[in-house]
Amino acid sequence: MDDMNYTQQLSQLIAQKTEWYNGTEFPQILDKYRLLYTCVKNINDMLIQKSIIAEDPYRFEKKISEVICPDTNPYNETERNVIVGTRFSDYIAMLDFICTYTRFNIETITLSKIKKFQELNACFDWDELTSNSAKPNTRGLSILINEARTNSPSIVQSMLNDHLSKCSQTLTEINKRLNQLIRFQREIYKLSIRKDLQEHPSYNMAKALESPDAELAEIKRVFPEIMGKKPFYTELINEIIYEDQGPDREANRQSVLSKLEIKETKKVTKKQVNTKELLMNSVLVLGALSPTYRSISEKISENLSLVHTGPSSLAGKIKELFRKAFGLKAKEIQIKLVTIDPITKHKNTREIKVNELIEDINRKDRIYTGIANRGIEYNKINAANEDQILSFLGKQISENQNLFITIQALDDYFKNIPNVTVRVRMKGMKIDLDTMKNTIITCNKKRGEYQAVIEEAEQMKRLGIKND
């Protein structure tokens, strides 16, 4: 094929693939980064909750304007928790920046930006997350995660392993798509050389086609004048020359055109879904709330003892011992709280009995511990039919959402105690609330996945389609 026809075909295929990238491929890459961010943040929250790392106090002060890979240099092992914790926080901030502020289209995701993405992706090696890794960040994070696994309930370890597995799978998929994007961006660069430079009046095509060396010399001669600040990629210029004057010129060009074609994705037959198992996976997520509720219960009790100084005094402690020894009920404590509806943002003022709240939290802790350990509670739920399990799940999600609103309001109440001396000693519950919120969202999402499968099956049944 002649040069003009080849350039026209290139232009047409690249325009089609650019449209495909902007409309189909980039949204999928962004979704993958969002999933990666969610999993990494959940891992970070677990490490903070276990007091293995501390929340970065300067994370909101760091101004991010571009994607930069966190420090990967060796560090003093005695400072591992602090340094790796800070680097991990920076890594999360970069993923958040990509998900929130990056415009995913062919014009902005250039070769140089893809390189920065790849550097960030390599900051922590999720495929080889071992304590003997040669990479300081990966090795350090692996040691911290192993610490988090120690004495953790099986459900928490299961969720942690699930997050780690998803990080590995998601990043592998992202890197695969970025490598494909690099190849496409290279062809866009080569097309710009053909259209902007080789079709320019200053370019001597006849002289260039005398030999490969002559073509390289001619491109170099006019490149600064025509292409301006565009980088000169020698490797890609040589590919152009090879396509123009190589021994297998036609085969080379046909290979390029073939790679630019949009391949249709093969449809995969869906496997039969075990809906009962899908539903019980949602129930198992509730088990992760057990250690969170235990922590919240302890913090509320400690904060109350600071507000009501009786138990902290010697006389108060003696009274508390007598109360527990004789099984007497604790003095009822009522607190006026301002709760905020998460949907309408409407504020409501109501009084709560804190003792009843603590009892409710402890009761849920016992139930969810049984679920996490696959004990009697779990077996009872598993023995029920799917409608009963779904009803139980809906009730638990609703109750936990209401508990979240109440505990959040109580946390605000403790933070605003007038007595400064008492206020600074209060135990904050922000990390527990974040974990609680994420767990409820995960549980609700899994319930939604179950309902979607059921609705799809019912719709197919109405249409008379059998799902074999």
Side-chain angles (χ1 to χ4, degrees), residues 401-423:
Q401 286 171 336
N402 290 332
L403 257 181
F404 175 84
I405 293 170
T406 302
I407 296 168
Q408 190 175 46
L410 187 59
D411 188 40
D412 291 336
Y413 169 83
F414 288 138
K415 288 175 182 175
N416 291 287
I417 293 292
N419 190 325
V420 179
T421 307
V422 174
R423 189 168 67 235

Side-chain angles (χ1 to χ4, degrees), residues 251-313:
N252 294 335
R253 290 187 169 188
Q254 197 56 51
S255 174
V256 172
L257 296 175
S258 176
K259 289 175 182 177
L260 287 171
E261 291 176 357
I262 300 169
K263 304 293 190 297
E264 290 294 329
T265 305
K266 291 182 180 179
K267 291 184 179 179
V268 180
T269 305
K270 285 187 177 180
K271 294 182 180 179
Q272 192 69 32
V273 179
N274 185 332
T275 52
K276 178 78 172 283
E277 183 181 341
L278 197 62
L279 199 53
M280 287 306 296
N281 285 339
S282 307
V283 174
L284 275 172
V285 172
L286 291 172
L289 285 170
S290 173
T292 305
Y293 276 141
R294 202 170 306 133
S295 171
I296 289 173
S297 177
E298 291 170 0
K299 287 178 180 178
I300 292 175
S301 298
E302 289 180 32
N303 289 347
L304 284 175
S305 71
L306 289 171
V307 176
H308 304 274
T309 55
S312 63
S313 65

Side-chain angles (χ1 to χ4, degrees), residues 153-165:
S154 57
I155 184 65
V156 174
Q157 294 195 40
S158 176
M159 288 182 70
L160 180 58
N161 291 337
D162 183 51
H163 291 322
L164 293 172
S165 175

Side-chain angles (χ1 to χ4, degrees), residues 58-66 68 94 97:
Y58 304 107
R59 67 191 187 283
F60 296 121
E61 297 176 16
K62 296 174 181 177
K63 304 298 180 185
I64 303 174
S65 58
E66 61 176 334
I68 300 173
M94 287 298 162
F97 176 79

Side-chain angles (χ1 to χ4, degrees), residues 264-406:
E264 290 294 329
T265 305
K266 291 182 180 179
K267 291 184 179 179
V268 180
T269 305
K270 285 187 177 180
K271 294 182 180 179
Q272 192 69 32
V273 179
N274 185 332
T275 52
K276 178 78 172 283
E277 183 181 341
L278 197 62
L279 199 53
M280 287 306 296
N281 285 339
S282 307
V283 174
L284 275 172
V285 172
L286 291 172
L289 285 170
S290 173
T292 305
Y293 276 141
R294 202 170 306 133
S295 171
I296 289 173
S297 177
E298 291 170 0
K299 287 178 180 178
I300 292 175
S301 298
E302 289 180 32
N303 289 347
L304 284 175
S305 71
L306 289 171
V307 176
H308 304 274
T309 55
S312 63
S313 65
L314 179 59
K317 288 178 180 177
I318 293 172
K319 286 181 182 179
E320 185 70 9
L321 287 172
F322 270 104
R323 186 189 69 75
K324 289 182 178 179
F326 293 100
L328 300 174
K329 284 188 176 182
K331 183 181 178 182
E332 191 64 68
I333 300 172
Q334 290 191 339
I335 293 177
K336 188 176 288 186
L337 296 180
V338 177
T339 59
I340 302 173
D341 188 293
I343 299 173
T344 64
K345 304 301 178 184
H346 181 70
K347 292 184 179 181
N348 296 308
T349 303
R350 62 188 179 93
E351 284 193 354
I352 66 156
K353 295 179 180 179
V354 184
N355 303 63
E356 291 183 2
L357 175 65
I358 294 174
E359 285 177 11
D360 191 21
I361 292 171
N362 291 338
R363 182 177 60 82
K364 286 204 174 295
D365 174 25
R366 289 191 295 273
I367 294 171
Y368 295 157
T369 299
I371 290 174
N373 296 330
R374 295 178 185 260
I376 296 172
E377 291 80 0
Y378 176 85
N379 292 330
K380 282 182 180 178
I381 299 166
N382 194 31
N385 61 46
E386 290 187 26
D387 287 341
Q388 291 171 326
I389 298 172
L390 186 62
S391 176
F392 167 81
L393 201 57
K395 182 182 177 184
Q396 294 302 310
I397 290 171
S398 177
E399 288 179 358
N400 282 307
Q401 286 171 336
N402 290 332
L403 257 181
F404 175 84
I405 293 170
T406 302

